[in-house]
Every structure is written in structure tokens, then in C-alpha cells.
Amino acid sequence: MKSALPDSAQALSLPPLALYVHMPWCVQKCPYCDFNSHRAPLADAGPVSALAAETGEKYITALVNDLEAALPLVQGRSLLSVFIGGGTPSLFSGTAIARLLAAIRACLPLAPDAEVTLEANPGAVEAERFAAYRDAGVNRLSIGIQSFNPEHLRAIGRIHDAEEARRAVEIAARHFDTFNLDLMYGLPRQGFGEAMADLETALAFAPSHLSCYQLTVEPNTAFHAAPPPLPEDDLCADIGEAIAARLESAGFDHYETSAFARPGRRCRHNLNYWEFGDYLGIGAGAHSKLTQPEGGTGILRQMRWKQPERYLREALRKDRRRAPVQEEMWVDAAALPGEFMMNALRLCHGFPAALFHERTGLPFSAVAGILRQAQAEGLVCVDPPGEEEGGSIVPTRRGGLFLNALLRRFLPE
């Protein structure tokens, strides 16, 4: 069921703004990874990998130029969060991250309680570097563990071993009050018990946040060209349910499809995505979604040049007033329901119905008919019951299992 949409949307207010910074290099490309990551030019750093100093310095300069050129689109707004992702940001030195964060603070005000996250991979970390990140202003670390099992780490092409994974988490716990661990399940030849053993090992380190997601084979990856022997879908579903139950019993809130947090430790940066907030993305291949109220409200999407070499060339040219943007487009009103729901329906506790109008400028009636049909089919519910426009829209367990089918209903014909 489709509802008629107005030709344009009128937003009531600017949503919160976050900054995403993309670091495009890794020591090597993982066979399952479809992110914008590339093999890094490395320094001779002994047992711990580090980006070549000249490359790192040039890239930080490019990021600062990129941010300064983008300021007219976000002038006067403050940042609720900064997320430095990749790639492997922990290939950059503490000095480089300090320089980057100082430039960000000089360009845009950070909220007093701003969340500043940096992603790190075991095998590209050391205690001194973690301390330097903390001193630079990073207050949340996200570590890509994926597994503590040596066999499974080799199967998915990770460069670290189980001991390095444990050591990285121990270092993070010493330097950061808030840290996230990424785990994957459904790994090649992984059994139920092995997946749960990974979870128990992670819990032993008392993380404040866990991201647990199933390995999927994506196009344009090495695994897509040569698929590994993955567990059956039913087994993966059983593992996913067991992980959620175990983490709930351990006091974690399952607040998004793959995200679990202790009380007060949800990732505010990612929540801003899921609640259809604004974000400025800088760095190679970074995406932006920015509400522009002047001259007729609209939402602008941008993508930076993807290849690091092209991005550097564009960002370091003499004319610094132009951001290194490869593509940009205004989001059509007909696409807004799908874009909003693609994010908001990932939230396990749902979203206030009023947020749809607040973030898209469209009346709730634009999606009311689709939601009523989904409710009749047991895919969503309204909390409290009967308060369709004044309550919250919550995906049911069935809706979570068939989330992609539910989301397709909101896409333009």
C-alpha cells in the first residue's frame, strides 16, 4: 500500500549534527570487506603497523581542507559526536589524530558531552598509541575483534591472532572508560558453541558496548569471488537469538539490530544515523546527509572521491574553497519515507511517530497507511496501542526477521 506524497517537504528544525572522518587504509584488505579500504603504505614500525609518516601528514592536511571547504553547509551548528572510522584509523599516530581533532574543534564547536570515537584493529595498536589517542580527545574506542578463535581469524583473513586480540582489549580497558568490541558470527565452519565462546571471552573484559553481526558475503569482495563454507541460515539465526538472550541476561540493552549497550553507553553517533540526524562526512569515499533549510528546505547528500589518490589530489589543490565532492544530490520527497525507515526501523525499541515529520518535513499521513498494513500483518506495533501519531512505532520480532521486506514497502515505486 502506497500513500500520496507532497512534492516537497518542510522540516521544522535542524536535526543534530555528527561528523564522520574516513581513514581509507588497512594493512591488508579482509576478504569479506566491502568498505572503502585500501592497502596502506606502511612505515617500518616493527611489530606494530603504522602508516608512512608522509602519507599520514598529507592525509590529515587534506581532511582539514575538506572540513574547511564544507563549513558553509554546517556553519553555526555544533557537533554531538565525531567518529573516526575506516579502514584502520589506528594506523595513524597519536600526533596525527591530535592534529585532526584540534582542527575540528577550531572549525566547529563540540557539544560539552560530545562523543569522540576512534576505530582500532588488533595488530595495529600499542599502549602508547592508545594513551595518545585518549590525550588527543578520543573518549570512546571501537575495536574490530571479530573473533578470539585462531582458526576463525585465519579463515576471515584477519592479520591479528587471538593473543593480540586479547591484548588490544586489555589496553583499551586501561585507557578508556567506554569501549566497544565488534564480533562476527556465522564464520566459516563455525559451530554454535564456538560462537558463544567468543561472546563469553568478550564479556570477560567487561566492555560497555558490543556490536554482534552475522558475516554476509557481499558483492565485490574476495569471498564473493570464492565463497567460504558458511554455517546454515538456521544455525546463524539460532546463534543470533542466543547472543541477544545472553547479553540481555548480562545487563545489556539490545537497542539496534546488531548493537548492545550497558545502561547509558549507547553509541550516540550511530543513534544519530538511525534517528535520521544529519552528518558531515569527510575523507575518501565519505558520505554526508545535510538538511539545508534556506531557500526551500531539502536534504543534500554528498559523496567524496573514493580513491585515496584522487581524494588527496582534489583536497590538496590550491582552490580550497571547493570540497572534494564526487557526487551530490537533493533527496526527492518521494524517497524520504524509505530513507527514514531504512534507519529508524533498525531500532529495537522503535521511534516516536512524531520523529518522522520532524526529520523529513512530511506529514505522518505519508506513511500511516503502510504502517497500518504492516501492523495488521504483525510486522510493527504501536506503543501505547491506539496512539498511532502520539506514540512510538516499534518493529515486532517478526518485523525484525523480515526487516528487508518491511523496508521495501516504503520505497518509491
Side-chain angles (χ1 to χ4, degrees), residues 377-392:
E377 296 175 19
L379 299 172
V380 301
C381 62
V382 177
D383 184 28
E387 296 291 331
E388 187 179 76
E389 293 193 41
S392 293

Side-chain angles (χ1 to χ4, degrees), residues 31-246:
Y32 59 84
C33 178
D34 66 341
F35 294 165
N36 185 34
S37 61
H38 307 264
R39 186 181 289 272
L42 295 175
D44 182 11
V48 178
S49 301
L51 192 68
E54 181 181 359
T55 302
E57 290 171 7
K58 285 175 61 178
Y59 195 74
I60 297 299
T61 298
L63 289 172
V64 175
N65 291 353
D66 189 354
L67 178 59
E68 290 176 347
L71 286 179
L73 294 174
V74 295
Q75 203 69 54
R77 301 175 68 177
S78 63
L79 296 172
L80 69 86
S81 63
V82 177
F83 194 103
I84 305 170
T88 305
S90 53
L91 289 175
F92 284 75
S93 68
T95 300
I97 297 301
R99 180 183 162 206
L100 171 65
L101 290 176
I104 291 170
R105 295 187 196 96
C107 289
L108 289 168
L110 271 65
D113 61 345
E115 178 186 86
V116 181
T117 303
L118 183 136
E119 288 185 331
N121 280 336
V125 300
E126 58 187 347
E128 292 78 11
R129 204 180 296 175
F130 273 21
Y133 296 151
R134 180 200 59 208
D135 294 343
V138 173
N139 54 30
R140 185 183 187 111
L141 204 69
S142 182
I143 308 178
I145 297 296
Q146 316 315 353
S147 176
F148 292 96
N149 183 303
E151 178 184 345
H152 295 141
L153 288 171
R154 286 192 296 270
I156 60 173
R158 301 295 284 176
I159 65 167
H160 66 271
D161 60 26
E163 182 56 37
E164 286 174 317
R166 290 178 171 85
R167 179 174 176 270
V169 184
E170 290 170 353
I171 295 171
R174 288 203 301 269
H175 292 286
F176 292 91
D177 293 332
T178 302
F179 64 94
N180 174 65
L181 302 182
D182 282 354
L183 292 179
M184 298 175 71
Y185 63 92
L187 305 180
R189 296 189 174 90
Q190 184 184 50
F192 182 94
E194 292 168 318
M196 299 309 293
D198 275 344
L199 180 64
E200 292 301 329
T201 300
L203 285 173
F205 291 104
S208 46
H209 190 286
L210 279 162
S211 297
C212 303
Y213 51 97
Q214 181 181 342
L215 171 63
T216 55
V217 176
E218 303 292 346
N220 301 315
T221 63
F223 273 177
H224 189 263
L230 299 181
E232 296 293 331
D233 288 344
D234 287 348
L235 174 57
C236 290
D238 290 343
I239 293 172
E241 289 190 3
I243 286 173
R246 176 67 181 96

